[in-house]
């Protein structure tokens, strides 16, 4: 790898160089000499520091003997050639105490991210020129972390500045511009290297050109920064690297103190460069490292050509300076990408020797593949060493001295298994001792698998700053942190180790944003400061500046396992609280290697959201001078949370989105409430009570966090806003409760609040509820899409559907909110009405505000009602669903009242808007009608000014236009409510008068069966649809109870049907069927009229209708229904309807005809009572029973015959002893059975319906199942139906007695034959009388005809006589 022996000793120095003065141009960089201070020495000074286990197994000492490219301050102090006690040191390196303490942001550093494991900050000292990512200038950087300097190099200039806070602000704000003496001619060539070199005095500065090998060294920065070119050159020491191969460049310059550097070349060669001789005088000397033949035959003889002249063209991965065991000596380790390591012994005088060399590739690859999660190397090129770092050992005392003297060391190697798609990285602990090596531990990197870009100019580096608890792997656009702390020794950890279940050490990746040109151009590990327990490194980022990453130590009591993994919450918090910073260096979208389950993300998101809500997040201060700004900051954090979740994670479950949205709603609502409170206390009088202050004090302890006066938490309101916003739903209903409680307490205390105070408290309560609920609903509707709920249908912030997943009420409609909002609406309205005429200006303002707030409160009341009953109706429990339906009906009633009562406040227009919004047509009609009436009254009022009259006319025209628009907008819903209101209030004629404006809507409305009595008029008058008119009239007669009205409507229906038939609107056959049904209905009503006429003689003595009913019941309900309570009750009701001229349905009329007593009625020749059973049968026949109601018809028919048969005492009739035939015929002829049969035969009724004999009617209706077969009794309650069954059973028992003891079955046949014979005889007699009447009529007409013929003959004779006389006379 290295070239043949080439000695380079060229150096130039002007012996006449002036001494530096305090007036030099860069005096601000220099440090004034300070008097050395003795450090306190005690027993603690030499006590071995506490050690921690790292790398799985390796322990590290607090002060390592090896450094990663440079040594510690103690080594510089020991480099003096004489005893340091007798040496006066001028202007030492600035003490650590003079530098800004890391972690303290008082210097203006910006925190880019922070979690429990590390902090990333941007340091403010970077010149603005290097923070511009739009700058196309090429440059790279170097960092001298121990002295706190940073260097930015381009081809012509070096810029040096202190990246940490110096002694004064001026010192840190003035970068040095150092002009290079050997500028590169090719702007595309490699950029020179510039290093700030620590010295015992002011830091020196070294420049090495990469292409030409020119070297320039200044013993102080002030000399290098001189603006005088000649003076700058005189104060420098210059040299060059000779024997460079054509095209060879220097790729890296590594410190190898004291006063030495290692140069790495693009060809793989390595050179040792010194900048002073052993006496400390500036002198540049460069010597290429070469191997010695003495080692060729040793233990590693087989590897003699690894770094020999023949094999120098190798890719060097890293060169690092190691430990020093004597003055002027230092070890260095060179590593190749193929896993070869070489230990060199370097000397100040330029000599060097190879201690040993090893090839660890096979062991490294085997160790990586043995982990299982590292893929096996497919070929020889599938393994590379990228970098390494020294690790301090655990030895102390003489053992440590011996190991340092031998060059033994422990390395932490960064290796990679590259792949076409990704690369797998690992940290490997490697121990080198006595020419042998051992692989101690392997830490695979699981959080970063990105391949190294071929275009990358930055090679990955590993930094292990003290106390060596964390390794920083620096890539060009990412940094990986890996914990080196080991699990504490314990039985459980040993078992886990044996089972290979030990948790991997903590590791995490920090990425830069991809859309900018940010990339690392320099990095360094920072030294450990006294009193600190954390390690840090600094990065120079192109286009951004200096960034510090600080790894935090574990907290007390925290184990390695507790921080072994990166949690979803940590990642989300970083993205939320730092992802939106203006300094957008870091990318928080997450790496694909770090994956979390959906459940983990949801749980973490809710925890982050809740921590913001209750102010337990460490990223937002709980106390702020401006509570409004603090609330806004929390709202922004919640918004950033949802943006991050939507952008960087898969969609969450619906309920998780809703919970996150509810938290954001509450935060926005709380901000609005705070602004109301802030405004109220800013204007309140000293003696006034503030509602929110009183309310927070009244809240139950379960609804708020405990205020701790002992911790000087004196502001209960701010304390609530800080800690209890998540319980906002508990404070909203208390706005109304607090008002009532304050009013009540004032009465009890005897100091009742004045009306102004009450009105003001109500106003503040309105403000609270309006601010909270309006803001919440508006926020929900405006931001639902951002929360993954864009497909959720909402109206005014209220969800239309999808409540099934919600286990509890939505917070905006919790149990207490709904009723208290309604109560507050009423209280505010009543207060405004009562104080409407108060002339006090302050009260007038409050009243006007109460009036203006009332419509908004009414709107909120509706929203909370709707949200609550929708949730209830969506639940599985039937009880809750019933409650929801009841609450919905309550809401309809409540909102109608609230809308219309707005007119009491002069806000009818606002009421109309709300009724329009909530589709409450009844309220809308009432408010519009009310407005019309008010304006009409204004017009009719005498003395109304002309301007008011014109305004009234305009308002009326506007309302009329609105009415027309509502017919278009709402259609039938508005039309039905509008027409119903007019009909209810007796304004039917107005509807027909203005029907042209809404003809179709009116026709549709009136065709509803409810309005059939008016619908037929509209059909005839407006539509000329007689068929529809006939239908409406038939429906109307079914709805009415008036006997006269029914007959009239049926008659009109018949006329309309005939008219429709004549107009061709209905088929002839259908018309005939309809007319037949009308005739049947009229016939039934005629029977009822005759029945009333039959009863009328007994009603003559009554003074009023009530007396008529009493008389009728007394005469007709004595015998037959005695002992039958159900039948008696039914008969009484029917008699009342009959007397009141109300139409009975056919079945009730049948019952009435068959149940009355005829004993007390007036007899007549053709008594109605004799034919009442046949009339009942005729009514049954005329009734239109459907096909499925045949059982119902048969049941009634049998009951009619049974009641007819038991009207007479057949036991007495059956006793015929000592009776002649005439008497028996008279007795049987007087029975209801005989009269019914005779009348039926006489009228030919039985030709289509035969009489039923007694045995066939037994059992009719005496069982519940038999009664249930009739649709009339199908829905009757069992107990009620059973009472009816008992009454019918008593009829059946009586009939059975008559059949058995009165031989009714035998009498039946004789009576039927006698009735038939009597009817036939009557028909014969009627026929003979008819024949005689027709004979007389025939003779009469014949005689009349003959008489007429004779008269005609006489007239003809007279005419002839007259004609003869005339002839004779001529």
């Amino acid at each position: 790898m290295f070239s043949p022996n080439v000695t380079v000793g060229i150096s130039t120095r002007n012996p006449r160089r002036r001494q530096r003065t305090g007036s030099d141009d860069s005096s601000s960089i220099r440090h004034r000499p300070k008097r050395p201070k003795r450090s306190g020495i005690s027993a603690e000074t030499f006590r071995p520091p506490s050690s921690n286990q790292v790398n799985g197994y390796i322990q590290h000492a607090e002060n390592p003997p090896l450094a990663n490219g440079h040594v510690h301050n103690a080594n510089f102090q020991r480099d003096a050639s004489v005893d340091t006690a007798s040496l006066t040191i001028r202007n030492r390196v600035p003490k650590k105490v003079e530098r800004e303490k890391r972690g303290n942001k008082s210097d203006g550093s910006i925190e880019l991210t922070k979690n429990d494991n590390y902090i990333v900050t941007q340091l403010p000292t970077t010149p603005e020129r290097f923070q511009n990512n739009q700058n196309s200038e090429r440059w790279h950087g170097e960092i001298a972390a121990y002295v706190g300097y940073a260097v930015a190099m381009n081809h012509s200039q070096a810029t040096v500045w202190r990246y940490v806070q110096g002694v004064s602000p001026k010192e840190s704000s003035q970068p040095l511009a150092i002009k290079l003496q050997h500028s590169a001619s090719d702007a595309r060539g490699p950029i020179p290297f510039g290093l700030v070199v620590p010295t015992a005095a002011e830091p020196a500065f070294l420049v090495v050109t990469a292409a030409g090998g020119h070297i320039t060294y200044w013993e102080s920065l002030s000399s290098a920064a001189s603006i005088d070119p000649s003076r700058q050159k005189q104060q420098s020491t210059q040299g060059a690297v000779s024997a460079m191969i054509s095209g060879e460049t220097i790729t890296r310059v590594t410190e190898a103190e004291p006063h030495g550097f290692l140069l790495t070349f693009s060809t793989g060669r390595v050179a040792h460069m010194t900048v002073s001789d052993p006496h400390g005088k500036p002198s540049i000397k460069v010597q290429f490292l070469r191997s010695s033949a003495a080692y060729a035959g040793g233990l590693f003889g087989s590897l003699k050509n690894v770094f020999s002249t023949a094999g120098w063209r190798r890719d060097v991965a890293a060169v690092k300076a190691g430990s020093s065991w004597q003055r002027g000596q230092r070890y260095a380790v060179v590593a190749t990408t193929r896993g070869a390591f070489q230990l060199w012994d370097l000397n100040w005088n330029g000599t060097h020797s190879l201690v040993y060399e090893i090839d660890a590739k096979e062991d490294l690859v085997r160790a990586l593949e043995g982990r299982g999660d590292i893929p096996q190397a497919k070929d020889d090129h599938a393994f590379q060493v990228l970098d390494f770092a020294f690790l301090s050992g655990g030895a102390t005392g003489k053992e440590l001295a011996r190991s340092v003297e031998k060059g033994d060391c422990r390395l932490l190697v960064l290796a990679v298994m590259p792949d076409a798609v990704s690369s797998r990285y690992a940290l490997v602990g490697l121990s080198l001792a006595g020419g042998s090596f051992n692989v101690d531990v392997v830490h695979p990197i699981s959080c970063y698998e990105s391949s190294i870009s071929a275009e990358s100019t930055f090679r990955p580096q590993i930094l292990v700053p003290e106390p060596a608890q964390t390794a920083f792997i620096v890539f060009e656009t990412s940094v990986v942190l890996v914990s080196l702390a080991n699990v504490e020794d314990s039985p459980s950890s040993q078992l886990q180790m044996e089972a290979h279940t030990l948790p991997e050490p903590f590791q995490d990746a920090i990425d830069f944003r991809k859309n900018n040109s940010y990339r690392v151009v320099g990095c360094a590990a920072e030294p450990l400061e006294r009193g600190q327990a954390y390690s840090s490194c600094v990065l120079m980022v192109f286009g951004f500046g200096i960034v510090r990453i600080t790894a935090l130590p574990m907290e007390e009591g925290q184990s390695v396992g507790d921080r072994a993994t990166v949690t979803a919450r940590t990642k989300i918090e970083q993205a939320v609280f730092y992802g939106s910073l203006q300094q957008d260096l870091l990318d928080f979208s997450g790496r694909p290697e770090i994956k979390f389950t959906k459940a983990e993300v949801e749980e973490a998101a809710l925890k982050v959201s809740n921590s913001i809500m209750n102010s337990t997040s460490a990223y937002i201060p709980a106390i702020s001078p401006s509570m409004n700004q603090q609330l806004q900051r929390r709202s922004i954090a919640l918004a950033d949370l949802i943006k991050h979740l939507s952008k960087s994670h898969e969609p969450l479950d619906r309920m998780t989105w809703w919970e996150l949205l509810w938290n954001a709603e509450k935060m926005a609502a709380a901000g609005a409430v705070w602004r109301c409170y802030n405004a109220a206390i800013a204007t309140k009088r000293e003696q006034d009570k503030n509602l929110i202050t009183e309310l927070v004090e009244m809240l139950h302890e379960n609804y708020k966090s405990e205020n701790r006066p002992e911790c000087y938490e004196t502001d209960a309101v701010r304390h609530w806003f800080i800690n209890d916003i998540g319980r906002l739903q508990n404070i909203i209903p208390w706005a109304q409760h607090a008002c009532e409680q304050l009013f009540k307490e004032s009465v009890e205390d005897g100091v009742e609040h004045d009306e102004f105070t009450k009105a003001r408290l109500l106003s503040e309560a309105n403000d609270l509820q309006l601010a909270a609920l309006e803001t919440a609903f508006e926020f929900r509707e405006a931001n639902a899409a951002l929360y993954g709920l864009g497909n959720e249908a909402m109206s005014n912030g209220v969800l239309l559907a999808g409540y099934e997943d919600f286990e509890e009420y939505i917070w905006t409609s919790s149990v207490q909110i709904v009723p208290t909002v309604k109560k507050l609406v009423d209280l505010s309205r009543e207060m405004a009405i009562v104080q409407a005429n108060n002339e006090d200006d302050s009260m007038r303002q409050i009243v006007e505000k109460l009036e203006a707030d009332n419509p908004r409160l009414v709107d909120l009341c509706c929203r909370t009602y709707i949200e609550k009953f929708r949730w209830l109706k969506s639940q599985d429990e039937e009880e809750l669903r019933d409650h929801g339906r009841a609450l919905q009906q309550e809401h309809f009633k409540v909102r109608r009242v609230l809308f219309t009562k707005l007119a009491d406040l002069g806000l009818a227009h606002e009421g109309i808007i709300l009724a329009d919004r909530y589709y409450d047509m009844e309220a809308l009609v009432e408010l519009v009608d009310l407005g019309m009436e008010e304006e009409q009254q204004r017009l009719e009022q005498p003395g109304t000014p002309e301007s008011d009259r014109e305004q009234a006319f305009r308002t009326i025209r506007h309302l009329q236009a609105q009415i027309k628009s509502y017919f278009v907008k709402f259609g039938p819903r508005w039309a039905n409510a509008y027409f119903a209101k007019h009909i209810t209030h007796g304004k039917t004629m107005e509807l027909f008068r203005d029907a042209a404006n809404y003809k179709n809507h009116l026709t549709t409305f009136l065709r509803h069966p409810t309005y059939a009595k008016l619908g037929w008029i509209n059909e005839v008058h407006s539509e000329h649809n007689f068929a529809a008119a006939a239908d409406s009239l038939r429906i109307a007669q079914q709805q009415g109870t008036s006997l006269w009205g029914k007959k009239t409507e049926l008659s009109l229906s018949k006329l309309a049907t005939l008219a429709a038939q004549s107009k061709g609107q209905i088929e002839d056959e259908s018309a005939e069927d309809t007319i037949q049904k009308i005739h049947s209905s009229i016939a039934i009503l005629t029977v009822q009229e005759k029945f009333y006429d039959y009863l009328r003689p007994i009603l003559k003595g009554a003074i009023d209708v009530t007396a008529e009913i009493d008389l009728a019941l007394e005469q007709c309900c004595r015998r037959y229904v005695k002992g039958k309570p159900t039948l008696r009750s039914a008969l009484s009701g029917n008699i009342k309807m009959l007397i009141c001229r109300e139409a009975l349905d056919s079945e009730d009329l049948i019952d009435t005809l068959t149940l009355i007593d005829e004993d007390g009625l007036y007899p007549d020749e053709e008594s109605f009572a004799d034919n009442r059973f046949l009339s009942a049968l005729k009514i049954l026949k005329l009734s239109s029973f459907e096909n499925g109601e045949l059982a119902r018809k048969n049941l009634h028919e049998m009951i009619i015959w049974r009641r007819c048969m038991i009207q007479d005492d057949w036991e007495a009739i059956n006793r015929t002893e000592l009776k002649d035939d005439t008497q028996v015929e008279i007795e049987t002829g007087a029975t209801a059975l005989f009269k019914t049969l005779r009348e039926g035969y006489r009228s030919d009724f039985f030709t289509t319906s035969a009489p039923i004999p007694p045995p066939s009617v037994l059992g009719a209706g005496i069982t519940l199942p038999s009664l249930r077969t009739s649709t009339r009794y199908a829905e009757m309650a069992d107990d009620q139906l059973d009472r009816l069954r008992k009454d019918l059973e008593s009829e059946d028992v009586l009939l059975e007695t008559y059949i058995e003891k009165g031989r009714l079955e035998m009498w039946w046949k004789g009576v039927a034959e006698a009735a038939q014979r009597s009817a036939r005889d009557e028909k014969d007699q009627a026929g003979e009388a008819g024949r005689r009447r027709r004979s007389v009529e025939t003779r009469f007409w014949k005689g009349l005809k003959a008489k007429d013929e004779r008269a005609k003959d006489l007239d003809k004779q007279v005419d002839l006589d007259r004609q003869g006389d005339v002839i004779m006379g001529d």
Side-chain angles (χ1 to χ4, degrees), residues 575 587-590 601 642-650:
D587 181 7
F588 297 101
S589 60
V601 173
I642 208 65
K643 291 176 184 177
H644 171 70
L645 293 174
S646 301
K647 179 181 178 181
S648 303
H649 296 277
E650 63 178 298

Side-chain angles (χ1 to χ4, degrees), residues 197 651 655 985:
V197 183
M655 281 308 304
H985 289 73

Side-chain angles (χ1 to χ4, degrees), residues 616-664:
T616 57
S617 173
Y619 301 95
I620 299 179
I623 299 177
S624 173
S626 171
M627 177 57 66
N628 186 48
Q629 292 182 0
Q630 202 258 8
L631 293 172
Q632 289 179 355
R633 184 172 179 181
R634 289 157 73 182
S635 294
I636 292 172
L638 291 174
D640 291 339
L641 169 63
I642 208 65
K643 291 176 184 177
H644 171 70
L645 293 174
S646 301
K647 179 181 178 181
S648 303
H649 296 277
E650 63 178 298
L652 308 181
D653 287 342
R654 177 172 180 262
M655 281 308 304
T656 304
W657 285 124
W658 271 108
E659 291 183 44
L660 294 172
L661 176 58
W662 291 334
N663 277 352

Side-chain angles (χ1 to χ4, degrees), residues 687 689 694 698 737-761 831:
Q687 70 274 18
K689 289 186 175 181
E694 299 295 328
M698 292 180 186
H737 291 324
C739 288
E740 292 185 341
Q741 187 66 25
L742 290 172
F743 298 166
K744 180 180 178 181
E745 289 177 357
S746 67
V747 174
E748 293 176 351
D749 296 340
V751 186
E752 186 174 356
H753 290 307
D754 59 88
E755 294 302 313
F756 175 79
T757 300
K758 292 180 180 180
R760 182 181 55 80
L761 291 174
M831 176 62 73

Side-chain angles (χ1 to χ4, degrees), residues 75-86:
N75 289 338
F76 286 113
Q77 295 173 7
R78 292 196 300 269
D79 281 340
S81 58
V82 298
D83 191 350
T84 57
S86 61

Side-chain angles (χ1 to χ4, degrees), residues 309-380:
T309 304
W312 55 263
R313 289 188 178 276
R314 296 287 182 95
D315 188 2
V316 175
V319 178
K320 300 287 178 74
S323 60
S324 175
W325 62 279
Q326 66 178 4
R327 181 177 178 272
Q329 178 274 341
R330 184 161 302 281
Y331 287 110
V333 176
V334 180
T336 69
T337 58
R338 296 289 161 230
F341 295 86
Q342 197 172 50
L343 181 67
W344 290 87
D345 187 359
L346 308 179
N347 198 281
W348 196 347
N349 58 17
T351 61
H352 59 269
S353 61
L354 177 65
V355 181
Y356 56 77
E357 55 192 26
I358 61 174
D359 187 355
K361 175 182 177 180
E362 293 184 1
D363 293 81
L364 290 173
V365 171
R366 189 162 47 250
L368 293 177
E369 294 176 347
R371 284 305 304 260
D373 45 1
I374 301 293
Q376 294 186 355
K378 297 180 180 179
D379 52 54
D380 187 56

Side-chain angles (χ1 to χ4, degrees), residues 489-502:
D489 287 333
S490 65
S492 61
S493 63
Q494 292 178 1
L495 292 174
Q496 287 179 318
M497 183 180 297
E498 295 174 359
H500 302 286
T501 58
L502 271 176

Side-chain angles (χ1 to χ4, degrees), residues 568-580:
R569 178 173 181 176
T570 298
K571 285 296 182 183
I572 291 174
E573 285 180 329
Q574 287 180 272
V576 169
F577 297 105
Y578 298 100
S580 60

